[in-house]
Amino acid sequence: MKYLTATVALFLAAQAAHSQSVVFGAGFSDFSDSLSDDEAVISLEYHHRPFHEATRFSATWGGALTIDTAADVHIGIGLIGTYTFADRWFVEGSVMPGYFSEGDALNDLGGEFQIRSLLGLGYTLNNGNSVSLAITHKSNASTQDDNPGVNSVLLRYHYAF
């Protein structure tokens, strides 16, 4: 009975340790339009508990807020997938449609509706938190006449709780 209780306790602790996370990121954005101003960028994300977990893959919902030094803002909500491989390494991808507001008129992306996609490579630390390097792309997916887009590279810290 002691072994069963200990096993159940460890299982519940492991689930709680990796159930949610807040991700802090900093990097640089490169706007596709040559007249735009490229900017330093910061991001804040929330990743909810996974609604699907397999051996190495998990899927969850989350939200992201991105602000650059020109006060361009994107806020989105969407789907996040993570695939773990090679012990502590993982690949993360997400798609988050949302609202974009340019702080600098030169950084107009063609409309307020923008979809942020992300592809990242990360490593889980001994304490359960992670670091990752990610590339993002924001675009209106040609739902507007103008669709210049913006790409960003972010160094990120995932705080698990």
Side-chain angles (χ1 to χ4, degrees):
M1 185 64 175
K2 288 190 327 189
Y3 295 111
L4 178 62
T5 304
T7 302
V8 170
L10 285 173
F11 175 75
L12 292 174
Q15 293 287 53
H18 300 289
S19 61
Q20 300 179 71
S21 62
V22 175
V23 183
F24 305 94
F28 190 76
S29 290
D30 179 25
F31 286 80
S32 298
D33 188 332
S34 62
L35 298 176
S36 296
D37 292 326
D38 298 338
E39 306 288 343
V41 64
I42 59 170
S43 69
L44 177 65
E45 294 186 34
Y46 168 73
H47 297 188
H48 196 266
R49 274 184 229 101
F51 61 81
H52 172 75
E53 291 183 288
T55 305
R56 295 182 173 266
F57 178 77
S58 66
T60 188
W61 297 102
L65 171 67
T66 306
I67 303 172
D68 67 26
T69 51
D72 301 317
V73 176
H74 179 264
I75 185 165
I77 297 173
L79 187 61
I80 303 162
T82 305
Y83 181 80
T84 304
F85 67 96
D87 195 22
R88 297 189 207 188
W89 290 92
F90 63 90
V91 174
E92 176 188 346
S94 67
V95 177
M96 294 192 185
Y99 170 77
F100 177 79
S101 173
E102 75 267 0
D104 181 342
L106 294 175
N107 294 348
D108 181 13
L109 294 179
E112 294 177 344
F113 174 73
Q114 300 292 320
I115 301 169
R116 190 211 73 177
S117 54
L118 177 142
L119 180 62
L121 175 66
Y123 184 79
T124 303
L125 305 171
N126 288 336
N127 62 6
N129 297 330
S130 305
V131 292
S132 67
L133 183 65
I135 298 170
T136 68
H137 176 73
K138 287 185 206 77
S139 163
N140 62 42
S142 296
T143 58
Q144 307 291 317
D145 292 333
D146 191 23
N147 186 23
V150 61
N151 299 310
S152 301
V153 175
L154 298 166
L155 182 59
R156 303 161 74 219
Y157 183 80
H158 306 240
Y159 175 74
F161 61 97

